[in-house]
Each structure stands twice: as C-alpha cells, then as structure tokens.
Amino acid sequence: MNTEKPSPPSARLDAAAIAELIRTGKRKELVFAILGVFCLAIAILTLTAAFLSLLLDGWSRIRPEFFVNFPSRRAAEAGILSAWVGSFMVLIVTMVAAVPLGVGAAIYLEEYGQKGGWIKDVIEINVTNLAGVPSIIYGLLALGLFVYYFKFGQSVLSAGLTLALLILPIVIVATREALRSVPVHIREAAYGVGATRWQMVSQHLVPYSAGGILTGIIIGLARAIGETAPVITIGALTFIAFLPPSPISTEPPFLNFDWLFSPFTVLPIQMFNWVSRPDSSFHASAAGAGLVLLAMCLAMNALAIYIRYQVRKKIKW
Amino acid sequence: MVTSSQARAATPAVETQHYKAEVRNLNFYYGSFHSLKNISFKLEANKATALIGPSGCGKSTLLRCFNRLHDLYPGNRYEGSIVLLPDNVNILDRKVDPIEVRMRIGMVFQKPNPFPKSIFENVAYGLRVRGMNNKTELADRVEAALKGAALWEEVNHRLDDLAFNLSGGQQQRLCIARALATDPEILLFDEPTSALDPIATSSIEELIQDIKHKVTILIVTHNMQQAARVSDYTAYMYLGDLIEFGVTSELFVKPKDKRTEDYITGRFG
C-alpha cells in the first residue's frame, strides 16, 4: 500500500464559486434565524397573552382597599390582606429553614465530602432526585410529618417548612454552582498562607460567591411563593378573615412566635378559591390576586438578575 | 546526577554553608503516577535556588511538596522527607499539620491571585489567620511587607482600593507582600512571571534579589535566563528525576550531564 497516490486536483475555487457558496450558507442561516424567532414568539406571546388577560380582568381590583381588606362574601369588598400577609409569613419561615440547610449542604458537598466517598454520592443522588419530585408529594410528606407527627398543625410553620423542603434542591444546586465558580488559585492562595478549611470557606468562598447564592435563594423563594398543591395538602384554609398574631408585642419579651402556629392562607390558594366560585365578579378578584402574585415573582426574579449583574461587575476572575 | 550532587555536598567547602532545608529521597505519586523519583538536594539558607526543566518534569510538583499543597487533593502520596533546618522536622510527616507548614513556608503562584478584597486586607490576611487583630500592629506589618515588596510607594494612598484594580505586575508584588507579611522561612515561587510583561518581570526579579537576605527562596521557572539571573543554585529536572544540581554559574557554563547541556543550550525542551 505504499505506492504513491496521485496528488488531488487543486482545491482552490474561483471568486464566483466562493460567492455562490457564501450565498447558500447565508440563506440557510436566515431560515434558521426566522425559525428561531418564531419559536421564541410562541413562548413570549403566550406569556404576554396570559399577563394581558389577567391585567384586563383584574386591573379594576388593584386599589388600596384590595390590599387591606379581608376576603368577603361580596366580591366588590373582597381583598387579599390575609393572603399576602400569610404568603409573606410562610416565606419567612421557608427562608429561615431553607437557607442554612441548603447552603450548609452545598458547602459540605463541595468542600468537605470526600471525592468519590459513598456518603457524598448518596446525598448527591438524593438531591438530584428531590428536584424532580412532584410538589404534591412534598405536601403528603408534610401532612404526615409536620402536621400530625410533630403536631405543628395546619399552620404557617408547617407550610413554611414544607416549601423549604421543596426549594432545598434549588438552593443547593445554585449554591454549589456559585462555590464552584471561585477559581482554584484563589482557594490555594488562602491555603497558601495557612488558612484552615473553615477559614477558607467562611472568609473567602462564601463571601465571594454570595451573589450567586443569593440569586439561588431568591429564585427558590419565587418558586415557593407560587406553590399551591403542597399548601392545600397540609390544609391551608381558603377563607381566612383574620391575621395571625403579630410577631411583635408591646409587652416584654416583645417578640412572640404564636404566629407560627396560626391558621393561614396564601395568595395562590386565595386565587384558587375565587376562581372556583360561580359568581363571575369573584373572577376579577382572582385576576387581581394573580397580578399581585405575578408582580411579586417578577420582582424577585428581577432582584436576582440585578444582584448577579452587580456581582459580576465587581468580581472578575 | 543525584550521586554527583551528593558528592559535592560532602566537600569541605560546602560544609561551612548554612542550610535551610534538606530533601531526602523524595518520591511523589499522583495516584499511581510516579511523578518525583528519589529526589535529594539541600537548600542553602538565604540563597535562591531555581528548579528548571521542560514541561511535565515535576518541578512544580516538587515545589508544591514544600508547603504540602498536594494534601488538598485526594490520591496524592509522598515518600521520603523534606527536613526543615535547624529544627530538624520532616514537613512531609503525617503528624505535621500541613497548616503549620504553610504558616512557615510561603508561596507565590504562577498567576497573580489576590483576594477580591482591599489591598490592605490582602496583605493582612496571613496575619489575621494567625489571630492578629491589633490595628496598629497590622498596619505596621502591612506597611513593612508592602515596602519589602517594593509596592508601598505605589499604593500607600489607596490601601482600601480593591486589589483587582492593580496592574498584573502590581498584583504579583501584592501577592509577594502577602507572603512576606508573615515572615516565612522559605518563600516558594511557581513561575511567578509567566503571566507578566517584561517590565513587570524585571521588577519581580529585582525583588527576589532584594528579599534573599531575609528569606530562603525556591523558584520554579521555565525561563533559563531568569534562572541564571536570579538564582545561586540551579536544579535541572527531567521526567521526575533530578538530573543535575549545582551552583548556577557553573551549571550553566559547564554542565556535567549531557541532558542538562542539551536542555540549556536549547537542543530540546
């Protein structure tokens, strides 16, 4: 097989052939671009249509009274006071529970877990699977665990902890990504002057990845605020005409935690309740509550994007 | 080879010298890969020793043994010893905490790696790790370290600026100041100028000359001219072996080993 092959003819093209090739290439490019815009338009138009229909139906309800009135039998007087206060309180519990658990777990997985060790593998597989578990399953777990076993009842605390479990995988994954984005040479710089692992983690890794961690937490909370199924499962009430007890009191010790055990409702449940009523004037209230929910979610996501942008501007590795 | 350097170490002229560390039969493994093979040499105190050799010869691996950075990653294994003098401790001993080793032996990395903190906090970090919190003492030591790294004049009016705003050469001198602040016994340099322009490179080389009187220096470089300019001793490594170790001026003028000669004359590498 060592016989000399004839050298192939020259691959050089004349100008016209090159121009024709480029023309064909660009035509294909254009077709793909149009297809892409079309796909994008479907997604955006659907969202915009949903938003506009909410806006048309619900805008009439967005008045100050809507935010300070309790739900009522008369649609015109019905407000979302108990719902947004409930959502807010549940979210606080969720944050207090999910942030330390999620960030702690992520730090363990990234920095302490033995690479290839079985404990790390088991946790990792679990975290990945948890992210795919349907939210109603979390509701069932919480009903058994928090409501009946721990006897927290159908309370703000049970709901907050349930949603915390639900967003834990989101927080863990985002935190791990953020920690991983700190370059190896920064870690070695800290170890190089004699820092312990904990000093490296607490004084360098966590502060430098705080923006990414915060973004993950906010996106997780935005997910939690819209969750309905698990909160219904643990037994949130749909009609609440009172507020949980205030966490701050005028008498010592000034703080009380009774609100944790109070019955509650949240925005999506309030919305669900109004939508399912036959009286169509309640549907406007539902749309109004939907607008408020959507605005809260968008605001949280915008905040997350803003923080990420600020951090990227400040720290360039 | 190794034997010839040991023979030289036994000559009377060398015995009057003062050593900072001695590497004895050092072997190092990345998993099953035998990366350093039976390395032995002595590091003279307050001198600069250069490690040269082609990529993959193990010079950076050897350097990173000196502050046990390999301990950070799983599957790495040391055999033999690096004895720190005069206290005669084997810093590779499992009973010696790597953190203690890193507190005594500083390192300057290939790419400038300041923390995304202020200039002051960067230099103060090693001191803070040692539990120093007194403001005036910190300020004094940071100033001394920055002066030692020839950076004080350029930054004294903006110590609170983010270190990332400095130029590459300034960042590297900041990293040297960070290492100097804690008065290390040995300072390790891992190709400290490979990411810098020629002007910044020459300022770092001058700096290395200036700090020799207070710290013993071990420097890895892929630039033979740099080794010739800054070091008193040079070790030539190839494929994990220490081929030749000697006084820099002698090693570059009349290398004893054919392989060293081939490398320094540019026939390969």
Side-chain angles (χ1 to χ4, degrees):
Chain A
M1 289 305 284
N2 244 347
T3 54
E4 227 173 272
K5 270 196 240 168
S7 60
S10 166
R12 200 176 295 163
L13 297 173
D14 60 21
I18 291 176
E20 177 53 32
L21 266 178
I22 293 174
R23 251 197 311 280
T24 330
K26 290 208 165 160
R27 246 193 320 269
K28 284 179 186 162
E29 208 169 271
L30 188 68
V31 170
F32 181 77
I34 291 170
L35 210 66
V37 168
F38 180 70
C39 296
L40 194 65
I42 289 179
I44 289 183
L45 283 178
T46 319
L47 187 68
T48 318
F51 182 71
L52 282 180
S53 101
L54 270 185
L55 203 63
L56 283 175
D57 292 345
W59 183 248
S60 60
R61 298 283 182 208
I62 306 292
R63 277 169 292 128
E65 304 91 86
F66 191 60
F67 295 92
V68 295
N69 279 359
F70 285 111
S72 158
R73 242 171 264 119
R74 285 176 294 275
E77 285 167 25
I80 55 167
L81 179 63
S82 51
W84 76 255
V85 171
S87 275
F88 186 71
M89 286 184 155
V90 167
L91 222 53
I92 287 177
V93 176
T94 303
M95 191 161 70
V96 168
V99 170
L101 281 179
V103 173
I107 290 173
Y108 176 82
L109 286 174
E110 278 305 303
E111 298 300 318
Y112 285 84
Q114 283 273 308
K115 291 248 161 23
W118 67 271
I119 302 182
K120 191 181 157 170
D121 283 352
V122 168
I123 299 175
E124 214 155 311
I125 291 168
N126 270 302
V127 170
T128 324
N129 285 337
L130 281 181
V133 172
S135 58
I136 189 109
I137 307 292
Y138 282 98
L140 284 177
L141 166 81
L143 185 66
L145 191 68
F146 299 136
V147 179
Y148 293 127
Y149 188 79
F150 289 134
K151 300 196 169 55
F152 292 157
Q154 302 171 341
S155 62
V156 170
L157 181 62
S158 293
L161 292 178
T162 311
L163 295 178
L165 284 184
L166 187 78
I167 67 165
L168 210 49
I170 302 174
V171 176
I172 292 176
V173 169
T175 305
R176 292 185 71 183
E177 291 290 324
L179 294 177
R180 240 178 275 163
S181 73
V182 177
V184 172
H185 62 254
I186 293 289
R187 296 158 196 258
E188 291 190 344
Y191 285 127
V193 291
T196 61
R197 197 188 292 258
W198 174 241
Q199 282 169 328
M200 201 281 293
V201 167
S202 61
Q203 295 165 357
H204 299 283
L205 268 194
V206 173
Y208 305 158
S209 49
I213 296 175
L214 212 56
T215 308
I217 292 169
I218 293 171
I219 288 173
L221 290 178
R223 161 95 194 271
I225 199 177
E227 271 301 333
T228 324
V231 190
I232 289 183
T233 318
I234 63 163
L237 300 178
T238 51
F239 189 92
I240 293 249
F242 56 88
L243 287 181
S246 164
I248 302 160
S249 56
T250 48
E251 294 150 36
F254 303 112
L255 282 177
N256 78 67
F257 292 97
D258 292 345
W259 59 276
L260 283 175
F261 299 97
S262 164
F264 68 101
T265 192
V266 290
L267 273 170
I269 290 181
Q270 183 67 69
M271 218 180 132
F272 174 70
N273 172 258
W274 280 334
V275 169
S276 54
R277 292 200 184 196
D279 182 353
S280 69
S281 54
F282 275 110
H283 296 174
S285 301
L291 271 182
V292 174
L293 191 59
L294 199 62
M296 284 168 90
C297 275
L298 289 179
M300 286 168 95
N301 282 320
L303 182 66
I305 292 169
Y306 176 75
I307 291 171
R308 190 158 44 194
Y309 168 75
Q310 286 297 323
V311 169
R312 286 210 183 135
K313 211 168 61 175
K314 209 174 114 194
I315 299 182
K316 287 195 200 79
W317 301 113
Chain B
M1 282 179 45
V2 181
T3 44
S4 69
S5 69
Q6 280 166 345
R8 208 176 14 256
T11 57
V14 180
E15 260 168 30
T16 57
Q17 284 165 338
H18 173 52
Y19 292 109
K20 187 60 220 167
E22 183 177 357
V23 181
R24 291 183 196 143
N25 304 321
L26 174 64
N27 284 281
F28 181 80
Y29 302 84
Y30 286 114
S32 58
F33 178 65
H34 193 178
S35 158
L36 294 177
K37 297 164 188 162
N38 219 26
I39 309 273
S40 296
F41 69 97
K42 289 180 177 178
L43 210 55
E44 195 182 333
N46 300 105
K47 298 279 185 208
T49 301
L51 300 172
I52 62 168
S55 301
C57 70
K59 53 193 193 302
S60 284
T61 306
L62 174 57
L63 190 83
R64 290 162 71 94
C65 289
F66 274 81
N67 67 351
R68 300 265 304 264
L69 268 188
H70 296 300
D71 287 40
L72 297 176
Y73 309 100
N76 297 336
R77 191 157 53 88
Y78 313 89
E79 272 170 22
S81 53
I82 297 178
V83 178
L84 211 54
L85 302 168
D87 10 5
N88 228 4
V89 253
N90 172 17
I91 58 174
L92 298 182
D93 195 320
R94 288 211 155 276
K95 278 172 280 183
V96 176
D97 194 314
I99 291 166
E100 182 202 331
V101 176
R102 292 177 203 138
M103 285 193 171
R104 297 178 62 175
I105 299 180
M107 178 148 176
V108 175
F109 294 80
Q110 184 168 1
K111 200 180 155 213
N113 57 355
F115 302 125
K117 294 178 187 278
S118 71
I119 293 170
F120 183 92
E121 282 306 322
N122 262 281
V123 182
Y125 187 67
L127 301 166
R128 289 201 192 276
V129 162
R130 283 159 178 74
M132 191 183 292
N133 279 315
N134 182 312
K135 271 193 174 168
T136 47
E137 194 181 358
L138 276 175
D140 287 348
R141 287 184 185 267
V142 166
E143 179 176 342
L146 284 169
K147 281 179 175 160
L151 195 58
W152 177 250
E153 294 301 317
E154 292 157 64
V155 303
N156 64 50
H157 57 285
R158 49 173 181 146
L159 292 176
D160 293 330
D161 263 23
L162 203 62
F164 283 14
N165 296 336
L166 297 174
S167 73
Q170 287 173 323
Q171 287 188 12
Q172 194 61 304
R173 277 181 283 149
L174 182 69
C175 293
I176 296 175
R178 179 173 68 196
L180 284 177
T182 57
D183 285 324
E185 295 168 47
I186 301 175
L187 194 48
L188 310 169
F189 287 88
D190 189 0
E191 299 190 15
T193 61
S194 61
L196 301 181
D197 65 70
I199 294 169
T201 299
S202 80
S203 76
I204 300 283
E205 288 182 4
E206 267 173 45
L207 187 53
I208 292 174
Q209 295 295 340
D210 292 344
I211 59 178
K212 266 196 319 201
H213 67 276
K214 50 186 174 192
V215 57
T216 303
I217 286 166
L218 185 60
I219 175 170
V220 163
T221 173
H222 59 232
N223 177 332
M224 281 174 282
Q225 285 76 29
Q226 182 168 69
R229 283 192 298 263
V230 304
S231 71
D232 304 285
Y233 294 91
T234 297
Y236 170 62
M237 294 178 67
Y238 182 60
L239 298 178
D241 283 309
L242 179 64
I243 306 293
E244 188 166 346
F245 180 87
V247 174
T248 299
S249 53
E250 289 173 16
L251 186 132
F252 276 98
V253 175
K254 38 178 200 289
K256 296 193 171 59
D257 196 287
K258 179 76 169 58
R259 289 167 292 183
T260 315
E261 191 184 341
D262 286 348
Y263 182 70
I264 61 178
T265 53
R267 240 164 285 178
F268 89 104

